[in-house]
Amino acid sequence: MNSAISPRCASAFTVAHFLDIGARYGIDYHFPALEQGRQDVAQRAVVQGYVEEWVLPAGVCITRSDLQVIEPYESTSTGHSPLYVLLVLSGQVEIAVNGCYQHLHSGMALTTRLDAQQTLSARHQAAERLVTLSLAIDPQRFCPSSAVAAYLAQWQQTQPQTALRAIPGVVLQSLQQLPAGDSLAHQLILEGILLQLLGYWMIPTPSVSPVSPLCPRELQRLEQVKQLIESAPERPYTLDALAQLAAMSASSLRSKFRQCYGESIFNYLRQCRLALAREYLQQGYSVQQAAWMSGYQHATNFATAFRRQYGVAPSELA
């Protein structure tokens, strides 16, 4: 597996970065909030986060991104791919095939083909965090085995050209639990997960109906809960208290939070606590202090969770 780019640390991607990506991959970008006539527009930051790209030996291009949108932007793909898959692991995106827009929430995937008669567009709003994974077959590089080629041909004949699907639970769970890192071992694990996913889409099965979309009021209340957790992850939250804040039952909050953000509410709380603890460690606090100030009562439990999340012991940062 050849890694094209893999900046793990968070970076700011400017208009110039987007235009360069668009030239390489056949994507037209539009930034409605920016004045195109200004000389400094090319250096304006559009998103903050990271992007990783790989090209598998068979010619399957993989892109994994975790981005916080700073400026709203729109994209339209002008490339060609007999199979393109977009998976939303967290957040939501407004996406369209040939101009017909609909929302994809976390836990959902879009499968389609891209060519001169079928274009893919997306709209991204400011202050939105979006974690996605995409697979695209490069027709010039694609060198599948005979079995894979047969599956692809059958898929094209039997499946809709464009379909919304639920991400298979076993694949979604594997992707959400995959720890951060860019080592060879990490890349091999990711390749295996993605090939497994590709196998699901290649097998000609009926499209899975997507889950019912959340209404704007539900999205607003879920966002309030999410922002509360982000602002003070060290607090001792309970599911019932958070459900009361969201004006939902505990079971509804649990299922709808996962539907909206692609992970359980307490898994998200754990990630926020670990991120806060990491900041404390980088500021010079001890492991015990960082654990306590981020909401952990036991340093041992904190150290185990920290290593699982970041791949290093917290003592290495303290």
Side-chain angles (χ1 to χ4, degrees):
M1 176 169 57
N2 299 320
S3 176
I5 61 173
S6 56
R8 279 298 311 174
C9 58
S11 302
F13 292 84
T14 65
V15 171
H17 287 124
F18 275 81
L19 295 180
D20 176 65
I21 293 172
R24 286 188 288 130
Y25 294 103
I27 305 174
D28 292 333
Y29 289 102
H30 176 57
F31 310 95
L34 301 180
E35 299 177 15
Q36 296 295 327
R38 292 179 52 178
Q39 295 182 350
D40 64 342
V41 69
Q43 303 306 318
R44 291 286 296 273
V46 180
V47 299
Q48 177 84 17
Y50 75 84
V51 178
E52 296 175 315
E53 296 177 296
W54 294 276
V55 179
L56 302 186
V60 179
C61 303
I62 299 170
T63 303
R64 181 185 184 187
S65 63
D66 185 343
L67 300 173
Q68 185 77 29
V69 181
I70 302 172
E71 296 284 355
Y73 68 97
E74 302 171 1
S75 63
T76 300
S77 175
T78 59
H80 294 257
S81 177
L83 175 61
Y84 176 83
V85 181
L86 174 66
L87 300 95
V88 181
L89 304 182
S90 182
Q92 59 180 331
V93 60
E94 191 177 6
I95 200 162
V97 176
N98 287 345
C100 182
Y101 276 92
Q102 50 192 320
H103 284 85
L104 263 70
H105 300 281
S106 56
M108 295 174 61
L110 172 81
T111 61
T112 188
R113 62 171 175 79
L114 303 177
D115 54 31
Q117 288 73 42
Q118 189 149 286
T119 59
L120 181 69
S121 303
R123 294 173 181 166
H124 303 272
Q125 303 300 323
E128 177 182 69
R129 177 176 178 253
L130 186 63
V131 182
T132 62
L133 192 72
S134 66
L135 289 82
I137 290 179
D138 185 340
Q140 297 181 349
R141 300 182 183 179
F142 193 45
C143 300
S145 65
S146 58
V148 172
Y151 273 130
L152 178 58
Q154 189 174 10
W155 182 86
Q156 292 174 322
Q157 293 174 2
T158 60
Q159 297 298 298
Q161 291 184 353
T162 300
L164 296 181
R165 305 169 185 266
I167 301 175
V170 62
V171 177
L172 182 61
Q173 183 178 11
S174 298
L175 289 170
Q176 292 172 344
Q177 294 180 351
L178 185 66
D182 58 0
S183 65
L184 177 59
H186 175 271
Q187 294 182 15
L188 289 173
I189 293 172
L190 181 58
E191 179 180 354
I193 294 174
L194 295 178
L195 289 175
Q196 181 183 15
L197 174 66
L198 185 61
Y200 275 101
W201 295 145
M202 291 295 191
I203 298 174
T205 57
S207 299
V208 179
S209 300
V211 293
S212 300
L214 300 171
C215 70
R217 289 185 178 180
E218 290 175 323
L219 291 172
Q220 184 179 14
R221 294 197 296 266
L222 288 170
E223 187 62 26
Q224 289 176 347
V225 172
K226 180 172 175 284
Q227 291 180 2
L228 174 63
I229 292 174
E230 291 175 349
S231 63
E234 72 282 358
R235 294 182 184 177
Y237 296 105
T238 65
L239 182 61
D240 289 338
L242 293 174
Q244 186 175 4
L245 174 64
M248 302 177 184
S249 67
S251 59
S252 292
L253 175 61
R254 184 187 297 111
S255 62
K256 291 179 179 180
F257 191 94
R258 180 181 291 276
Q259 176 184 343
C260 186
Y261 301 111
E263 56 194 348
S264 72
I265 188 169
F266 285 104
N267 187 56
Y268 186 73
L269 173 61
R270 178 183 60 80
Q271 293 181 13
C272 291
R273 285 178 172 174
L274 291 173
L276 178 62
R278 187 176 186 179
E279 293 180 7
Y280 285 137
L281 292 170
Q282 292 172 338
Q283 294 171 14
Y285 288 95
S286 68
V287 173
Q288 182 69 49
Q289 289 172 322
W292 181 77
M293 291 190 296
S294 59
Y296 281 88
Q297 297 182 355
H298 303 287
T300 301
N301 294 341
F302 163 68
T304 300
F306 192 93
R307 180 184 289 276
R308 185 179 297 121
Q309 177 72 16
Y310 296 112
V312 297
S315 58
E316 297 181 37
L317 298 182

